Amino acid sequence: MKLLILGGTRFLGRHLAQQALQAGHELSMLHRGRSAGGLFPEAEHLIADRDREGEFAAALAGGAWDAVIDTSAYLPRQVQAAAAALAGRVGQYHLVSTISVYAGFDAAVTDEGAPLQVLPDPGVQVVDGSSYGGLKALCEAAAYEGFEDGCLVSRPGLLVGPFDPTGRFTWWVQRFVRADSGDDDETEVLAPGEPTTPVQFIDARDAAAWMLHQAEAGHRGTYNLTGPESPATMGELLAAARDTLAPTSQLLWVDEDFLLARGVAPWSDLPVWLPQAQSGVHRVDITRALDTGLQCRPWAQTLRDTAVWAASAAPPALGGPLRPQVGLAPEREADLRAAWRER
Ligand SMILES: NC(=O)c1ccc[n+]([C@@H]2O[C@H](COP(=O)([O-])OP(=O)(O)OC[C@H]3O[C@@H](n4cnc5c(N)ncnc54)[C@H](OP(=O)(O)O)[C@@H]3O)[C@@H](O)[C@H]2O)c1
């Protein structure tokens, strides 16, 4: 198969590229050449900025692909430019969207037919926390309009694993590695809220494998894309992290009201975790993805591989970990544990 990735050098795209080459596909990648130079010499690298339409169209001119996977579109005009440059010369166009497109997560489970966000100003050009989901919803509409003969939209939940630039899931991995370090102050890990709170995330390598399979199969339509295959809980995640990375550590479950009252921010101070009232984000229906071949690897493998990658001393430009500021500092976590015990 001739495959084009619009992106492909950072995280999800990087796993896609690696798996596509391993499977023997003929790979082209369009990016600006800024991240991870020298990666994938076997692929054709089309160096262009997709925000410069002339440059973007020129880089793609004359090419034809069986499938295109677009990991780097955040604005509808970027999808429109892709359609203008590629329509009629590709089999399947796959837009990587997000579950953040949904207007809310109040339902027992959120399936692909749930209402989408509508932006007050659809012309907004700034991608931030308030516009990201609504803009991706507009990207989806532009994709279906521009590639009406063959459009697939995936809506990933939280992507995790090696090369994750956000540091969110990685923070928990590093927290359990510290719990195993022999430092007595670190062996007890603050576990937020209730062990029964639902949790969903997907190893980016499993998302990439499913995406490649969709390209090979030529499927169409919209698919939520997260894991694990069966519903799971925060309690199961933290127990798996403990058993895999720090078997002698203990979990100290701290009530969510206690944490919220002390200004602990769900998702950023304690990544992945959301309080019960917001936990619908972790109850997305993935039946369609499972029916089309999604397979999720065991958590222990994701935890171990992420730990190995996070311990790498390589600089980000060579695939080493970024060090984003997410997650509680050790001292703040220790203070919270002490305050919980003294309450
Ligand atoms: N992380 C999550 O938890 C999560 C959850 C749901 C959905 N998603 C979606 O999943 C996708 C993940 O993306 P990723 O960053 O992992 O993909 P990626 O393909 O690994 O990395 C992004 C690529 O886009 C290229 N790029 C960025 N700006 C560009 C521009 N103006 N012109 C040309 N190329 C450009 C980058 O290369 P250069 O910098 O060299 O140009 C890089 O190759 C996103 O669409 C995101 O919305 C992520």
Side-chain angles (χ1 to χ4, degrees), residues 17-295:
Q18 191 166 28
Q19 292 180 21
L21 290 167
Q22 259 164 15
H25 296 309
E26 198 179 319
L27 179 65
S28 306
M29 308 165 66
L30 183 139
H31 56 91
R32 294 166 301 180
R34 291 190 190 171
S35 26
L39 263 183
F40 308 124
E42 322 87 299
E44 176 188 34
H45 292 263
L46 305 169
I47 303 299
D49 185 338
R50 66 181 301 166
D51 289 326
R52 297 183 183 167
E53 269 189 45
E55 184 177 305
F56 178 65
L60 295 171
W65 290 273
D66 299 305
V68 181
I69 304 180
D70 190 348
T71 59
S72 59
Y74 294 87
L75 295 165
R77 69 169 163 73
Q78 294 174 318
V79 177
Q80 286 153 359
L86 289 168
R89 291 193 285 119
V90 298
Q92 179 199 71
Y93 170 82
H94 175 159
L95 173 74
V96 179
S97 183
T98 168
I99 60 164
S100 300
V101 290
Y102 292 115
F105 293 92
D106 296 333
V109 286
T110 299
D111 67 19
E112 289 84 351
L116 303 186
Q117 289 200 43
V118 178
L119 288 172
D121 172 12
V124 63
Q125 297 291 307
V126 179
V127 184
D128 59 19
S130 66
S131 64
Y132 171 65
L135 283 169
K136 281 282 197 180
L138 292 172
C139 287
E140 293 187 5
Y144 276 113
E145 193 180 328
F147 295 93
E148 50 190 19
D149 291 338
C151 181
L152 186 145
V153 169
S154 60
R155 293 177 178 157
L158 181 66
L159 295 164
V160 308
F163 304 117
D164 178 1
T166 71
R168 293 180 291 218
F169 181 87
T170 313
W171 181 83
W172 280 108
V173 168
Q174 292 176 305
R175 177 64 189 89
F176 280 92
V177 168
R178 287 204 323 266
D180 198 45
S181 66
D183 179 344
D184 287 346
D185 293 339
E186 298 276 22
T187 52
E188 187 179 60
V189 178
L190 189 158
E194 295 295 323
T196 52
T197 308
V199 73
Q200 285 183 315
F201 56 84
I202 183 166
D203 190 308
R205 296 169 294 185
D206 297 330
W210 179 86
M211 289 176 180
L212 272 186
H213 176 66
Q214 302 320 300
E216 289 157 359
H219 287 152
R220 313 281 187 243
T222 301
Y223 300 81
N224 290 333
L225 183 62
T226 188
E229 291 167 25
S230 306
T233 64
M234 221 33 214
E236 288 165 330
L237 169 60
L238 297 188
R242 180 195 58 207
D243 296 349
T244 307
L245 301 169
T248 58
S249 64
Q250 304 97 43
L251 301 175
L252 177 68
W253 286 95
V254 178
D255 188 75
E256 72 174 37
D257 290 337
F258 180 91
L259 295 172
L260 297 174
R262 278 154 189 80
V264 174
W267 198 256
S268 54
D269 282 339
L270 287 167
V272 183
W273 169 64
L274 289 169
Q276 288 288 354
Q278 291 163 260
S279 65
V281 171
H282 287 307
R283 285 195 314 266
V284 167
D285 182 10
I286 55 166
T287 309
R288 296 198 73 202
L290 290 171
D291 287 349
T292 47
L294 174 64
Q295 292 184 325

Side-chain angles (χ1 to χ4, degrees), residues 162 170 173-174 177 245 301-312:
T170 313
V173 168
Q174 292 176 305
V177 168
L245 301 169
Q301 198 183 335
T302 302
L303 289 160
R304 256 187 243 112
D305 293 351
T306 307
V308 169
W309 169 73
S312 159

